[in-house]
Amino acid sequence: MASQLDRETVLKVARLGRLKLADHEVDDYLNKLGQILTYVEQLNEVDTEDVEPMAHAVELQNVFREDVVRPSLPRDLALSNAPKTDGQFFLVPQIIDAGG
Amino acid sequence: MSIPGLTVSELLGKLATGELKSVELTQACLDQISAHDASVRAFLSVDAEASLAQARSVDQRRAAGETLGLLAGVPVAIKDVICQKGTVTTCASRMLEKFVAPYDAHVIERLRAADAVLLGKTNMDEFAMGSSTENSAYQITRNPWDLERTPGGSSGGSAAAVSALMAPLSLGSDTGGSIRQPAGLCGVVGMKPTYGRVSRFGLIAYASSLDQIGPFARDVQGAALLLEAIAGHDGRDSTSVPHDVPNYSQTVDHPLEGLKIGYAKEHFAPGLDPEVERSVKDALNIYKKLGATIQEISLPHQKYAVAVYYLVAPSEASSNLARYDGVHYGHRAAQFDSMVDMYSASRGEGFGSEVKRRIMLGTYALSAGYYDAYYLKALKVRRLIRNDFDEAFGEVDIIATPVNPTPAFKIGELVNDPLAMYLSDIYTISANLAGIPGISVPAGFSSGGLPLGLQLLGAPFAEGKLLRAARMFERETDWHTRIPPNMVVTK
């Protein structure tokens, strides 16, 4: 494990996580994430050869239900918390260049 | 004893005979909130009219001779991470400042079916990430026993509301100790059920393989009643388990014969406050006098629990919180120059610093080149932690541990040191990783007058046994009857 975090890595992770960070936040994360990563490296001491990873506490498999039509959230309610709508759809900024 | 000081069973008794009306009880809670919440700051929102209307309706239906639900007329405060249709559900985040829940969580449906009164939404650490309720975007909740100290977190508002007699019951959520830890610091009962016992439908997700909703009350019977009301299978949460729900409230008073209690030497390591250690040992002595067998067990991987948690939970969080994109709901930045920039700017502005820190940590742990070293390694050690418990529960019924390494710490004391804050959950986190149930019960006071808690852990779905064991201890002590001296009931 590499716990040495550099500024470039922090910025890359912020891009992957879609987080715009202020400069002081980048400094803070550089320092504190590094400390946390150093702490979690103690897991390297543990022999996990042949240990099956545990993704979940209740290891249910393939929970099926009947495929029946049921009422879903009405459109007006589904749109009611959206920052921008036209009453029918969620509106986002233009992503295709109109001139292209 | 004034109305807000009564236990849930006492309240239910008086409501049933007509000696007390739900409207009076609800008003008494609202009065207590008016008197003390300006200093405690447990609630983010209270809709007095709506609560009184529910109470009035229960009173009328009772007067008409209708059969009522398990919690008829009893007010319950709700952590603001749980969707209650038509109310603002913020998760204590700017991101969801204007989010009005479009549907009820399963537990809210259950509470309505039980004829409970929904009293208001309580403060928490933003998106349930924190151990002190200082990460709320709106306000800092204070410990009713000492207003300069934290109530713990993340369900600090729900714990403080019950401790300060503002609500007889409340709901919290527990991902790494967020019910049990504040219950311990506020001197109330708090329980995290087995993973899958309670539906997570309508619970705003933090770390889905760990999150579980559970009750706060001032006594074990109250916790049993509230758990009974909310537990059970729900097809909308495919991890909720289709097991029958026992009548916990009917059996909680039956002492367990031949009870075997284990304590792990790993739980009494350096870092544990001597008064906390003393209170757990005193509790073991009480069980011994009650005829229980006390035996030392070993949980060799316990010391890795915090490290495993701070890889697993942020990894799940980084994925869960990807839904906040400024499109479907939540904050959208006013200024941006592209679609991707809109996501990043909205998230950068809407999330607080601890939430961003955990998204960063999780994104890093899951990113190419690090997945095996961090996330997968953590999942393997998680298995070993679960195996330790499985082995221990082959020998004992219950494991007794401290809840917190120290009594309530001061507001501001740990907030700039994330790692030290994370370590305050050292005794509670492993139950979430293993998926087992745990309960925190009042077990004494520090020399400074702060509550100390005892944690009892049980095997999966042993909630009934856990509640009965907790009640055996409660019956021998009077810690749970103490109320914070400053939280005087004025009316």
Side-chain angles (χ1 to χ4, degrees), chain A residues 1-2 13 17-18 20 25 28-29 32 37 39 43 45-46 48 51-56 58-60 81-83 91 93, chain B residues 99-100 195 238 304 327-330 332 336 341 344 347 353 356-357 360 364 373-374 377 379-380 382-383 416 423 433:
Chain A
M1 294 189 202
V13 172
R18 298 286 185 263
K20 188 178 271 185
E25 290 179 304
D28 184 66
Y29 294 147
K32 286 175 185 156
L37 290 172
Y39 177 78
L43 296 183
E45 304 163 16
V46 188
T48 51
V51 177
E52 189 71 14
M54 176 178 168
H56 230 271
V58 180
E59 290 168 285
L60 297 163
N81 282 298
L91 294 189
Chain B
F99 180 77
V100 178
Y195 186 84
S238 58
Y304 301 111
V327 174
H328 302 94
Y329 42 77
R332 180 186 290 193
F336 46 84
D341 191 50
S344 303
R347 292 162 62 80
S353 68
K356 284 188 266 194
R357 179 156 36 236
M360 292 285 291
Y364 181 72
Y374 287 115
K377 180 78 183 181
L379 292 187
K380 289 178 178 175
R382 182 180 183 181
R383 167 85 57 200
N416 292 316
L423 288 168
L433 294 170

Short mmCIF file of all heavy atoms in Angstrom, two decimals, chain A residues 1-2 13 17-18 20 25 28-29 32 37 39 43 45-46 48 51-56 58-60 81-83 91 93, chain B residues 99-100 195 238 304 327-330 332 336 341 344 347 353 356-357 360 364 373-374 377 379-380 382-383 416 423 433:
data_model
loop_
_atom_site.label_atom_id
_atom_site.label_comp_id
_atom_site.label_asym_id
_atom_site.label_seq_id
_atom_site.Cartn_x
_atom_site.Cartn_y
_atom_site.Cartn_z
N MET A 1 0.84 -1.20 0.00
CA MET A 1 0.00 0.00 0.00
C MET A 1 0.88 1.25 0.00
O MET A 1 1.90 1.32 0.67
CB MET A 1 -0.86 0.04 1.26
CG MET A 1 -1.89 -1.06 1.33
SD MET A 1 -3.02 -0.75 2.70
CE MET A 1 -3.65 -2.38 2.99
N ALA A 2 0.46 2.22 -0.73
CA ALA A 2 1.22 3.48 -0.78
C ALA A 2 0.42 4.57 -0.08
O ALA A 2 -0.62 4.97 -0.55
CB ALA A 2 1.45 3.87 -2.23
N VAL A 13 -8.17 12.33 -7.39
CA VAL A 13 -9.28 11.67 -6.68
C VAL A 13 -10.49 12.61 -6.61
O VAL A 13 -11.63 12.19 -6.78
CB VAL A 13 -8.82 11.23 -5.28
CG1 VAL A 13 -9.99 10.71 -4.45
CG2 VAL A 13 -7.75 10.15 -5.39
N GLY A 17 -14.18 11.81 -7.95
CA GLY A 17 -15.32 11.90 -7.06
C GLY A 17 -16.22 13.08 -7.37
O GLY A 17 -17.18 13.33 -6.64
N ARG A 18 -15.91 13.80 -8.46
CA ARG A 18 -16.71 14.97 -8.86
C ARG A 18 -16.89 15.94 -7.70
O ARG A 18 -18.01 16.28 -7.33
CB ARG A 18 -18.08 14.53 -9.39
CG ARG A 18 -18.04 13.66 -10.62
CD ARG A 18 -17.68 14.45 -11.87
NE ARG A 18 -17.75 13.63 -13.08
CZ ARG A 18 -16.70 13.01 -13.65
NH1 ARG A 18 -15.50 13.11 -13.12
NH2 ARG A 18 -16.86 12.32 -14.76
N LYS A 20 -15.45 19.66 -6.48
CA LYS A 20 -14.62 20.85 -6.69
C LYS A 20 -14.15 21.33 -5.32
O LYS A 20 -14.97 21.67 -4.47
CB LYS A 20 -15.44 21.94 -7.39
CG LYS A 20 -14.60 23.13 -7.83
CD LYS A 20 -15.44 24.17 -8.56
CE LYS A 20 -15.47 23.88 -10.05
NZ LYS A 20 -16.18 24.95 -10.80
N GLU A 25 -8.94 23.23 1.17
CA GLU A 25 -9.44 21.85 1.34
C GLU A 25 -8.44 20.85 0.80
O GLU A 25 -8.22 19.78 1.39
CB GLU A 25 -10.78 21.69 0.62
CG GLU A 25 -11.93 22.45 1.26
CD GLU A 25 -13.24 22.30 0.51
OE1 GLU A 25 -13.29 22.60 -0.71
OE2 GLU A 25 -14.23 21.88 1.13
N ASP A 28 -5.82 20.42 3.37
CA ASP A 28 -6.34 19.68 4.51
C ASP A 28 -6.42 18.18 4.19
O ASP A 28 -6.00 17.34 4.99
CB ASP A 28 -7.72 20.24 4.86
CG ASP A 28 -8.30 19.59 6.10
OD1 ASP A 28 -7.73 19.79 7.18
OD2 ASP A 28 -9.30 18.85 5.98
N TYR A 29 -6.94 17.84 3.03
CA TYR A 29 -7.09 16.43 2.67
C TYR A 29 -5.73 15.77 2.46
O TYR A 29 -5.52 14.62 2.81
CB TYR A 29 -7.98 16.26 1.44
CG TYR A 29 -9.43 16.67 1.72
CD1 TYR A 29 -10.22 17.24 0.74
CD2 TYR A 29 -9.98 16.48 2.98
CE1 TYR A 29 -11.54 17.62 1.01
CE2 TYR A 29 -11.28 16.86 3.26
CZ TYR A 29 -12.06 17.43 2.27
OH TYR A 29 -13.35 17.80 2.54
N LYS A 32 -4.67 15.13 6.16
CA LYS A 32 -5.46 14.22 6.99
C LYS A 32 -5.75 12.88 6.33
O LYS A 32 -5.80 11.85 7.00
CB LYS A 32 -6.74 14.90 7.44
CG LYS A 32 -6.42 15.92 8.54
CD LYS A 32 -7.58 16.73 8.97
CE LYS A 32 -7.12 17.79 9.98
NZ LYS A 32 -8.02 18.93 10.03
N LEU A 37 -4.73 7.02 5.95
CA LEU A 37 -4.19 5.90 5.15
C LEU A 37 -3.04 5.21 5.89
O LEU A 37 -2.91 3.99 5.83
CB LEU A 37 -3.75 6.39 3.78
CG LEU A 37 -4.92 6.80 2.86
CD1 LEU A 37 -4.39 7.46 1.59
CD2 LEU A 37 -5.78 5.59 2.49
N TYR A 39 -2.84 4.97 9.09
CA TYR A 39 -3.49 4.18 10.14
C TYR A 39 -4.04 2.86 9.59
O TYR A 39 -3.85 1.81 10.20
CB TYR A 39 -4.63 5.00 10.79
CG TYR A 39 -5.38 4.24 11.84
CD1 TYR A 39 -4.86 4.07 13.12
CD2 TYR A 39 -6.61 3.64 11.54
CE1 TYR A 39 -5.54 3.34 14.07
CE2 TYR A 39 -7.29 2.91 12.50
CZ TYR A 39 -6.77 2.76 13.77
OH TYR A 39 -7.43 2.04 14.71
N LEU A 43 -3.59 -3.02 8.58
CA LEU A 43 -4.24 -4.24 8.09
C LEU A 43 -3.24 -5.15 7.38
O LEU A 43 -3.48 -6.35 7.24
CB LEU A 43 -5.39 -3.89 7.14
CG LEU A 43 -6.57 -3.11 7.75
CD1 LEU A 43 -7.66 -2.90 6.71
CD2 LEU A 43 -7.15 -3.86 8.95
N GLU A 45 -0.63 -6.26 8.51
CA GLU A 45 -0.12 -7.28 9.46
C GLU A 45 -0.94 -8.57 9.42
O GLU A 45 -0.49 -9.60 9.85
CB GLU A 45 -0.27 -6.81 10.91
CG GLU A 45 0.37 -5.51 11.27
CD GLU A 45 -0.20 -4.96 12.59
OE1 GLU A 45 -0.87 -5.71 13.37
OE2 GLU A 45 0.01 -3.78 12.81
N VAL A 46 -2.19 -8.44 8.98
CA VAL A 46 -3.11 -9.58 9.11
C VAL A 46 -2.93 -10.55 7.95
O VAL A 46 -2.95 -10.14 6.78
CB VAL A 46 -4.58 -9.09 9.15
CG1 VAL A 46 -5.52 -10.25 9.48
CG2 VAL A 46 -4.75 -7.96 10.15
N THR A 48 -4.35 -12.77 5.48
CA THR A 48 -5.69 -13.00 4.91
C THR A 48 -5.62 -13.99 3.76
O THR A 48 -6.51 -14.03 2.92
CB THR A 48 -6.31 -11.67 4.43
OG1 THR A 48 -5.38 -11.01 3.58
CG2 THR A 48 -6.69 -10.78 5.59
N VAL A 51 -8.72 -16.17 2.85
CA VAL A 51 -9.92 -15.64 3.51
C VAL A 51 -10.85 -15.07 2.43
O VAL A 51 -10.42 -14.29 1.58
CB VAL A 51 -9.58 -14.53 4.53
CG1 VAL A 51 -10.86 -13.95 5.14
CG2 VAL A 51 -8.67 -15.08 5.62
N GLU A 52 -12.09 -15.50 2.46
CA GLU A 52 -13.08 -15.01 1.50
C GLU A 52 -13.51 -13.60 1.92
O GLU A 52 -13.87 -13.38 3.07
CB GLU A 52 -14.28 -15.97 1.58
CG GLU A 52 -15.33 -15.79 0.53
CD GLU A 52 -14.88 -16.23 -0.86
OE1 GLU A 52 -13.83 -16.92 -0.99
OE2 GLU A 52 -15.57 -15.85 -1.80
N PRO A 53 -13.49 -12.63 1.00
CA PRO A 53 -13.93 -11.27 1.37
C PRO A 53 -15.40 -11.29 1.81
O PRO A 53 -16.20 -12.05 1.28
CB PRO A 53 -13.79 -10.47 0.08
CG PRO A 53 -13.08 -11.32 -0.90
CD PRO A 53 -13.12 -12.73 -0.42
N MET A 54 -15.72 -10.47 2.80
CA MET A 54 -17.10 -10.41 3.31
C MET A 54 -17.70 -9.07 2.89
O MET A 54 -17.42 -8.04 3.49
CB MET A 54 -17.08 -10.53 4.83
CG MET A 54 -18.44 -10.38 5.48
SD MET A 54 -18.29 -10.60 7.27
CE MET A 54 -19.92 -10.03 7.79
N ALA A 55 -18.53 -9.10 1.87
CA ALA A 55 -19.08 -7.85 1.35
C ALA A 55 -20.31 -7.43 2.14
O ALA A 55 -20.70 -6.28 2.14
CB ALA A 55 -19.43 -7.99 -0.12
N HIS A 56 -20.94 -8.39 2.79
CA HIS A 56 -22.22 -8.13 3.41
C HIS A 56 -22.41 -8.98 4.65
O HIS A 56 -21.91 -10.09 4.72
CB HIS A 56 -23.32 -8.46 2.40
CG HIS A 56 -24.30 -7.36 2.27
ND1 HIS A 56 -25.40 -7.29 3.07
CD2 HIS A 56 -24.32 -6.26 1.47
CE1 HIS A 56 -26.07 -6.18 2.75
NE2 HIS A 56 -25.44 -5.55 1.78
N VAL A 58 -25.40 -10.10 5.87
CA VAL A 58 -26.40 -11.15 5.63
C VAL A 58 -26.19 -11.58 4.19
O VAL A 58 -26.51 -10.83 3.27
CB VAL A 58 -27.83 -10.61 5.79
CG1 VAL A 58 -28.85 -11.70 5.53
CG2 VAL A 58 -28.01 -10.05 7.20
N GLU A 59 -25.61 -12.75 4.03
CA GLU A 59 -25.25 -13.11 2.67
C GLU A 59 -26.40 -13.81 1.95
O GLU A 59 -26.39 -14.99 1.69
CB GLU A 59 -23.93 -13.85 2.68
CG GLU A 59 -22.84 -12.85 3.05
CD GLU A 59 -21.48 -13.42 3.39
OE1 GLU A 59 -21.33 -13.97 4.50
OE2 GLU A 59 -20.59 -13.32 2.55
N LEU A 60 -27.39 -13.01 1.64
CA LEU A 60 -28.55 -13.48 0.89
C LEU A 60 -28.13 -13.62 -0.58
O LEU A 60 -27.33 -12.86 -1.05
CB LEU A 60 -29.68 -12.46 0.98
CG LEU A 60 -30.27 -12.18 2.36
CD1 LEU A 60 -31.07 -10.89 2.35
CD2 LEU A 60 -31.15 -13.34 2.78
N ASN A 81 -38.53 17.86 -6.22
CA ASN A 81 -37.32 18.30 -5.55
C ASN A 81 -36.21 18.70 -6.51
O ASN A 81 -35.09 19.01 -6.08
CB ASN A 81 -36.79 17.20 -4.63
CG ASN A 81 -37.59 17.10 -3.33
OD1 ASN A 81 -37.62 18.05 -2.55
ND2 ASN A 81 -38.28 15.99 -3.12
N ALA A 82 -36.49 18.64 -7.81
CA ALA A 82 -35.43 18.91 -8.79
C ALA A 82 -35.09 20.39 -8.85
O ALA A 82 -35.99 21.23 -8.79
CB ALA A 82 -35.85 18.40 -10.16
N PRO A 83 -33.79 20.71 -8.98
CA PRO A 83 -33.41 22.12 -9.07
C PRO A 83 -34.01 22.80 -10.31
O PRO A 83 -34.33 23.97 -10.28
CB PRO A 83 -31.88 22.07 -9.19
CG PRO A 83 -31.48 20.74 -8.66
CD PRO A 83 -32.63 19.81 -8.94
N LEU A 91 -34.19 19.18 -16.12
CA LEU A 91 -33.40 19.97 -17.06
C LEU A 91 -31.94 20.05 -16.60
O LEU A 91 -31.66 20.28 -15.43
CB LEU A 91 -33.97 21.39 -17.19
CG LEU A 91 -35.36 21.52 -17.82
CD1 LEU A 91 -35.68 23.00 -18.07
CD2 LEU A 91 -35.46 20.75 -19.15
N PRO A 93 -27.78 21.41 -18.05
CA PRO A 93 -27.18 22.34 -19.02
C PRO A 93 -27.01 21.65 -20.38
O PRO A 93 -26.87 20.42 -20.44
CB PRO A 93 -25.81 22.64 -18.41
CG PRO A 93 -25.81 22.09 -17.04
CD PRO A 93 -26.91 21.13 -16.92
N PHE B 99 -34.96 19.56 0.53
CA PHE B 99 -35.53 18.28 0.09
C PHE B 99 -36.75 17.90 0.93
O PHE B 99 -36.65 17.69 2.14
CB PHE B 99 -34.47 17.18 0.20
CG PHE B 99 -34.95 15.83 -0.24
CD1 PHE B 99 -35.08 15.52 -1.60
CD2 PHE B 99 -35.32 14.87 0.69
CE1 PHE B 99 -35.55 14.28 -2.01
CE2 PHE B 99 -35.78 13.62 0.29
CZ PHE B 99 -35.90 13.33 -1.06
N VAL B 100 -37.89 17.82 0.26
CA VAL B 100 -39.12 17.40 0.93
C VAL B 100 -39.35 15.94 0.57
O VAL B 100 -39.47 15.60 -0.62
CB VAL B 100 -40.32 18.25 0.48
CG1 VAL B 100 -41.60 17.78 1.16
CG2 VAL B 100 -40.07 19.73 0.80
N TYR B 195 -28.27 -6.61 11.35
CA TYR B 195 -28.43 -6.14 9.98
C TYR B 195 -29.54 -6.94 9.30
O TYR B 195 -29.51 -8.17 9.33
CB TYR B 195 -27.11 -6.29 9.21
CG TYR B 195 -27.21 -5.69 7.84
CD1 TYR B 195 -27.00 -4.34 7.64
CD2 TYR B 195 -27.59 -6.47 6.75
CE1 TYR B 195 -27.15 -3.77 6.39
CE2 TYR B 195 -27.74 -5.91 5.50
CZ TYR B 195 -27.51 -4.56 5.32
OH TYR B 195 -27.68 -3.99 4.09
N SER B 238 -34.25 -5.41 -0.17
CA SER B 238 -34.02 -6.84 -0.39
C SER B 238 -33.05 -7.43 0.63
O SER B 238 -32.86 -8.63 0.67
CB SER B 238 -33.52 -7.08 -1.81
OG SER B 238 -32.34 -6.35 -2.03
N TYR B 304 -8.51 -4.30 14.70
CA TYR B 304 -8.48 -3.83 13.31
C TYR B 304 -9.82 -3.24 12.86
O TYR B 304 -9.97 -2.81 11.72
CB TYR B 304 -8.10 -4.98 12.36
CG TYR B 304 -6.74 -5.57 12.69
CD1 TYR B 304 -6.63 -6.85 13.22
CD2 TYR B 304 -5.59 -4.81 12.49
CE1 TYR B 304 -5.38 -7.38 13.54
CE2 TYR B 304 -4.35 -5.34 12.81
CZ TYR B 304 -4.25 -6.61 13.33
OH TYR B 304 -3.02 -7.11 13.65
N VAL B 327 -29.09 17.23 -10.19
CA VAL B 327 -30.06 17.07 -11.29
C VAL B 327 -31.44 16.66 -10.77
O VAL B 327 -32.42 17.33 -11.03
CB VAL B 327 -29.56 16.02 -12.32
CG1 VAL B 327 -30.63 15.76 -13.38
CG2 VAL B 327 -28.27 16.49 -12.97
N HIS B 328 -31.48 15.56 -10.01
CA HIS B 328 -32.79 15.02 -9.61
C HIS B 328 -33.32 15.65 -8.33
O HIS B 328 -34.52 15.81 -8.16
CB HIS B 328 -32.69 13.51 -9.43
CG HIS B 328 -32.24 12.83 -10.68
ND1 HIS B 328 -30.92 12.53 -10.91
CD2 HIS B 328 -32.93 12.45 -11.77
CE1 HIS B 328 -30.81 11.97 -12.11
NE2 HIS B 328 -32.02 11.91 -12.64
N TYR B 329 -32.43 15.95 -7.42
CA TYR B 329 -32.80 16.62 -6.17
C TYR B 329 -31.52 17.13 -5.53
O TYR B 329 -30.42 16.77 -5.96
CB TYR B 329 -33.56 15.71 -5.19
CG TYR B 329 -33.01 14.31 -5.07
CD1 TYR B 329 -31.86 14.05 -4.33
CD2 TYR B 329 -33.64 13.24 -5.71
CE1 TYR B 329 -31.36 12.77 -4.23
CE2 TYR B 329 -33.14 11.95 -5.62
CZ TYR B 329 -32.00 11.72 -4.88
OH TYR B 329 -31.49 10.45 -4.78
N GLY B 330 -31.66 17.97 -4.56
CA GLY B 330 -30.46 18.48 -3.88
C GLY B 330 -29.93 19.75 -4.52
O GLY B 330 -30.47 20.25 -5.51
N ARG B 332 -27.98 22.60 -6.46
CA ARG B 332 -27.28 22.81 -7.72
C ARG B 332 -26.56 24.16 -7.64
O ARG B 332 -27.18 25.15 -7.27
CB ARG B 332 -28.24 22.81 -8.91
CG ARG B 332 -27.51 23.03 -10.25
CD ARG B 332 -28.43 23.18 -11.43
NE ARG B 332 -29.09 21.92 -11.78
CZ ARG B 332 -29.75 21.74 -12.93
NH1 ARG B 332 -29.85 22.72 -13.82
NH2 ARG B 332 -30.35 20.58 -13.18
N PHE B 336 -21.42 27.45 -13.22
CA PHE B 336 -20.63 26.31 -13.71
C PHE B 336 -20.45 26.51 -15.21
O PHE B 336 -21.18 27.28 -15.83
CB PHE B 336 -21.35 24.99 -13.42
CG PHE B 336 -22.81 25.01 -13.78
CD1 PHE B 336 -23.22 24.75 -15.08
CD2 PHE B 336 -23.78 25.30 -12.82
CE1 PHE B 336 -24.57 24.78 -15.41
CE2 PHE B 336 -25.13 25.32 -13.15
CZ PHE B 336 -25.53 25.06 -14.46
N ASP B 341 -18.78 20.09 -14.74
CA ASP B 341 -18.47 21.16 -13.79
C ASP B 341 -19.66 21.45 -12.88
O ASP B 341 -19.50 21.78 -11.71
CB ASP B 341 -18.04 22.42 -14.55
CG ASP B 341 -17.44 23.46 -13.62
OD1 ASP B 341 -16.54 23.09 -12.84
OD2 ASP B 341 -17.88 24.62 -13.66
N SER B 344 -19.52 18.83 -10.14
CA SER B 344 -18.42 19.05 -9.20
C SER B 344 -18.67 20.28 -8.33
O SER B 344 -18.41 20.26 -7.13
CB SER B 344 -17.09 19.22 -9.94
OG SER B 344 -16.87 18.09 -10.73
N ARG B 347 -21.56 19.59 -5.82
CA ARG B 347 -21.12 18.69 -4.74
C ARG B 347 -20.11 19.38 -3.83
O ARG B 347 -20.15 19.22 -2.61
CB ARG B 347 -20.55 17.40 -5.35
CG ARG B 347 -21.63 16.56 -6.01
CD ARG B 347 -21.05 15.53 -6.99
NE ARG B 347 -20.18 14.57 -6.35
CZ ARG B 347 -20.58 13.50 -5.67
NH1 ARG B 347 -21.88 13.28 -5.52
NH2 ARG B 347 -19.72 12.68 -5.13
N SER B 353 -17.20 19.29 5.08
CA SER B 353 -15.82 18.81 4.91
C SER B 353 -15.65 17.33 5.28
O SER B 353 -14.90 16.62 4.63
CB SER B 353 -14.85 19.69 5.69
OG SER B 353 -15.07 19.51 7.07
N LYS B 356 -17.01 15.22 2.39
CA LYS B 356 -16.06 15.23 1.27
C LYS B 356 -14.83 14.37 1.58
O LYS B 356 -14.34 13.65 0.72
CB LYS B 356 -15.66 16.67 0.94
CG LYS B 356 -16.76 17.39 0.18
CD LYS B 356 -16.31 18.75 -0.33
CE LYS B 356 -16.68 19.82 0.66
NZ LYS B 356 -16.56 21.18 0.08
N ARG B 357 -14.38 14.45 2.84
CA ARG B 357 -13.22 13.66 3.22
C ARG B 357 -13.50 12.17 3.01
O ARG B 357 -12.69 11.42 2.49
CB ARG B 357 -12.87 13.92 4.69
CG ARG B 357 -11.70 13.14 5.18
CD ARG B 357 -10.97 13.75 6.38
NE ARG B 357 -11.84 14.42 7.31
CZ ARG B 357 -11.69 15.70 7.68
NH1 ARG B 357 -10.72 16.42 7.19
NH2 ARG B 357 -12.51 16.23 8.55
N MET B 360 -13.65 11.27 -0.65
CA MET B 360 -12.27 11.22 -1.17
C MET B 360 -11.60 9.90 -0.79
O MET B 360 -11.00 9.22 -1.62
CB MET B 360 -11.45 12.38 -0.59
CG MET B 360 -11.86 13.76 -1.05
SD MET B 360 -11.35 14.14 -2.74
CE MET B 360 -9.58 14.24 -2.55
N TYR B 364 -10.60 6.98 -3.40
CA TYR B 364 -9.20 6.55 -3.46
C TYR B 364 -9.09 5.04 -3.26
O TYR B 364 -8.43 4.33 -4.03
CB TYR B 364 -8.39 7.31 -2.40
CG TYR B 364 -6.92 6.98 -2.38
CD1 TYR B 364 -6.08 7.43 -3.40
CD2 TYR B 364 -6.36 6.25 -1.34
CE1 TYR B 364 -4.72 7.15 -3.38
CE2 TYR B 364 -5.01 5.96 -1.32
CZ TYR B 364 -4.19 6.42 -2.33
OH TYR B 364 -2.85 6.14 -2.31
N ALA B 373 -5.50 -3.62 -2.56
CA ALA B 373 -4.70 -3.32 -1.37
C ALA B 373 -5.57 -2.76 -0.24
O ALA B 373 -5.30 -3.04 0.92
CB ALA B 373 -3.60 -2.34 -1.72
N TYR B 374 -6.57 -1.99 -0.57
CA TYR B 374 -7.36 -1.36 0.48
C TYR B 374 -8.73 -2.03 0.66
O TYR B 374 -8.99 -2.66 1.68
CB TYR B 374 -7.57 0.14 0.17
CG TYR B 374 -6.33 0.96 0.37
CD1 TYR B 374 -5.71 1.59 -0.70
CD2 TYR B 374 -5.78 1.13 1.64
CE1 TYR B 374 -4.57 2.36 -0.52
CE2 TYR B 374 -4.64 1.91 1.83
CZ TYR B 374 -4.04 2.52 0.75
OH TYR B 374 -2.92 3.28 0.95
N LYS B 377 -8.76 -5.98 0.86
CA LYS B 377 -8.07 -6.38 2.10
C LYS B 377 -9.00 -6.15 3.29
O LYS B 377 -9.13 -7.01 4.18
CB LYS B 377 -6.78 -5.55 2.25
CG LYS B 377 -5.98 -5.88 3.48
CD LYS B 377 -5.18 -7.14 3.31
CE LYS B 377 -4.42 -7.52 4.57
NZ LYS B 377 -3.61 -8.73 4.39
N LEU B 379 -12.25 -6.10 3.33
CA LEU B 379 -13.35 -7.08 3.34
C LEU B 379 -12.88 -8.43 3.88
O LEU B 379 -13.66 -9.15 4.51
CB LEU B 379 -13.93 -7.26 1.94
CG LEU B 379 -14.68 -6.08 1.34
CD1 LEU B 379 -15.33 -6.49 0.02
CD2 LEU B 379 -15.75 -5.54 2.29
N LYS B 380 -11.64 -8.76 3.66
CA LYS B 380 -11.12 -10.04 4.18
C LYS B 380 -10.97 -9.97 5.70
O LYS B 380 -11.33 -10.91 6.41
CB LYS B 380 -9.78 -10.37 3.52
CG LYS B 380 -9.95 -10.77 2.06
CD LYS B 380 -8.62 -11.05 1.41
CE LYS B 380 -8.83 -11.49 -0.04
NZ LYS B 380 -7.55 -11.67 -0.75
N ARG B 382 -12.66 -8.03 7.55
CA ARG B 382 -14.04 -7.99 8.04
C ARG B 382 -14.55 -9.42 8.31
O ARG B 382 -15.18 -9.68 9.32
CB ARG B 382 -14.93 -7.30 7.00
CG ARG B 382 -16.37 -7.15 7.44
CD ARG B 382 -17.22 -6.46 6.38
NE ARG B 382 -18.58 -6.28 6.87
CZ ARG B 382 -19.56 -5.72 6.18
NH1 ARG B 382 -19.36 -5.27 4.97
NH2 ARG B 382 -20.76 -5.62 6.70
N ARG B 383 -14.23 -10.32 7.40
CA ARG B 383 -14.63 -11.73 7.59
C ARG B 383 -14.02 -12.29 8.87
O ARG B 383 -14.68 -13.01 9.63
CB ARG B 383 -14.19 -12.54 6.37
CG ARG B 383 -14.22 -14.05 6.52
CD ARG B 383 -15.57 -14.65 6.23
NE ARG B 383 -16.02 -14.30 4.89
CZ ARG B 383 -17.30 -14.36 4.49
NH1 ARG B 383 -18.23 -14.77 5.33
NH2 ARG B 383 -17.64 -14.01 3.28
N ASN B 416 -11.04 18.66 14.94
CA ASN B 416 -9.98 18.87 13.94
C ASN B 416 -9.03 17.69 13.83
O ASN B 416 -8.00 17.77 13.18
CB ASN B 416 -9.20 20.15 14.27
CG ASN B 416 -10.08 21.37 14.07
OD1 ASN B 416 -10.78 21.46 13.06
ND2 ASN B 416 -10.07 22.28 15.02
N LEU B 423 -11.62 6.99 16.42
CA LEU B 423 -11.29 6.01 17.45
C LEU B 423 -12.29 6.03 18.61
O LEU B 423 -12.31 5.11 19.43
CB LEU B 423 -9.86 6.25 17.96
CG LEU B 423 -8.78 5.85 16.93
CD1 LEU B 423 -7.41 6.37 17.36
CD2 LEU B 423 -8.73 4.34 16.74
N LEU B 433 -19.73 -4.20 11.37
CA LEU B 433 -18.98 -4.99 10.39
C LEU B 433 -19.48 -6.43 10.39
O LEU B 433 -19.62 -7.05 9.34
CB LEU B 433 -17.49 -4.93 10.70
CG LEU B 433 -16.85 -3.55 10.53
CD1 LEU B 433 -15.43 -3.54 11.09
CD2 LEU B 433 -16.84 -3.12 9.06
#
